[in-house]
Amino acid sequence: MQPPAGYIRSKEVQEILNVSPAMIREYVTKGKIKHLVPRGRTHGFYLESDVRKLANELDVFLNLEEETGASSFRIAAPTDIPTYITLNRELFTDRDHQFVYNEDDTSLSKKWTSWTEKNPEIIYVLKRDEEIIGTATILPIKPKSWEKFEKVLLGDTSILLGDINISTEDLEEYKPGKHVRLYLAEIGIKPSIPNDLRRKYGAKLIAKFMDTIVDLGRRGVIIENITAVGATKSGIKLLQHFGLCEVMPPRPDTRLFTLNVKESGSPLILQYKQALQESSILLKPKRVQATSQNESIPTDSYTTLAT
């Protein structure tokens, strides 16, 4: 059956928007795209004008190269670690909280170098003309070490800039079939960059972070949950957009957010689950009983952690 005039098939929508069928359904649910299902058919068609309009909005939001200058998102190299530490000091040490920053740059370099030798994909950087202007840090904690990590969250020491009781043995490598619990330590843009450019670079950093999570699914990495601490209003909105929900905090001066991947239906996790399902190395599920919020992405500030 040919689509009615002005409508297109799901495959065409996927090609135009470069998104998964799960994300298309999410856009339909949110009223972004009109969906028409003819009588007697299971699959429907999508209003092309809505799809083109959404594509233009996404282009403005994500295709930032011409406006901001060439930038690249990549895994941090060992030579990036000193600049990465300097950026973290800019992002966090001026904030009004009581966390302890008790390591010098040499000790911090040793810590982050050893961690990234265990898993090179812990630190991602956004570069403009080889200058690091943003970063996303994700700690892949082994499930058996999560209780130990929760004790770190209870403490006063900065995870990014302090001496914490986490070793390389507590970190997991991204390999097919491996289970991990992710701690989103930060998504941050250099504070000295003008606000309008911070929003643009931040949007790109967020989009690339989301691609990274979905890519872990393609590689067969099994994410059990994602946890983060919200430090700013926009950071909290960002975590909520990802699908994280606020839970009882480990200490009164922090706001803790978590996401159970098995139960989550957020657009990001739906894309991850589909990628995981399609991965050729997905392990058969264990025989356990299944236990079975969306806001616009804030782009004015990108610091999601104040430790």
Side-chain angles (χ1 to χ4, degrees), residues 32-46:
K32 293 282 189 179
I33 302 175
K34 183 178 180 180
H35 185 216
L36 176 66
V37 182
R39 183 177 300 177
R41 288 182 59 87
T42 302
H43 301 291
F45 305 102
Y46 302 86

Side-chain angles (χ1 to χ4, degrees), residues 254-267:
T254 62
R255 296 184 66 178
L256 187 67
F257 293 78
T258 189
L259 178 152
N260 184 312
V261 171
K262 181 187 291 186
E263 298 176 354
S264 176
S266 76

Side-chain angles (χ1 to χ4, degrees), residues 128-148:
R128 178 186 60 186
D129 299 328
E130 296 306 311
E131 175 194 9
I132 295 177
I133 59 171
T135 182
T137 304
I138 313 166
L139 296 182
I141 307 296
K142 292 180 178 179
K144 67 178 183 180
S145 296
W146 188 252
E147 185 175 346
K148 178 181 179 181

Side-chain angles (χ1 to χ4, degrees), residues 61-62 73 187 201-211 238 241-242 297-299 301-302:
F61 186 65
L62 299 177
F73 179 83
I187 295 180
Y201 283 126
K204 182 169 185 176
L205 188 59
I206 291 167
K208 293 298 184 181
F209 163 77
M210 295 171 72
D211 289 344
L238 178 60
H241 175 85
F242 289 155
I297 299 180
T299 58
S301 177
Y302 300 92

Side-chain angles (χ1 to χ4, degrees), residues 269-296:
I269 298 305
L270 288 176
Q271 290 186 72
Y272 161 78
K273 287 179 178 179
Q274 179 175 332
L276 182 64
Q277 186 66 37
E278 293 172 353
S279 67
S280 59
I281 32 65
L282 177 62
L283 299 182
K284 293 182 178 180
K286 297 179 182 179
R287 292 185 178 180
V288 295
Q289 184 176 355
T291 57
S292 103
Q293 39 202 251
N294 283 334
E295 301 180 40
S296 299

Side-chain angles (χ1 to χ4, degrees), residues 209-249:
F209 163 77
M210 295 171 72
D211 289 344
T212 298
I213 296 298
V214 176
D215 185 61
L216 290 178
R218 296 190 189 100
R219 293 158 58 186
V221 178
I222 302 170
I223 304 172
E224 294 186 358
N225 65 20
I226 303 174
T227 300
V229 172
T232 65
K233 289 182 179 179
S234 55
I236 288 169
K237 288 180 67 177
L238 178 60
L239 295 176
Q240 292 171 334
H241 175 85
F242 289 155
L244 279 74
C245 298
E246 189 165 9
V247 296
M248 186 68 68

Side-chain angles (χ1 to χ4, degrees), residues 108-119 122 166-168 171:
L108 285 171
S109 291
K110 289 181 180 179
K111 178 180 80 172
W112 287 108
T113 298
S114 66
W115 285 5
T116 53
E117 285 175 350
K118 176 65 177 289
N119 185 329
I122 287 177
I166 293 295
S167 71
T168 55
L171 303 175

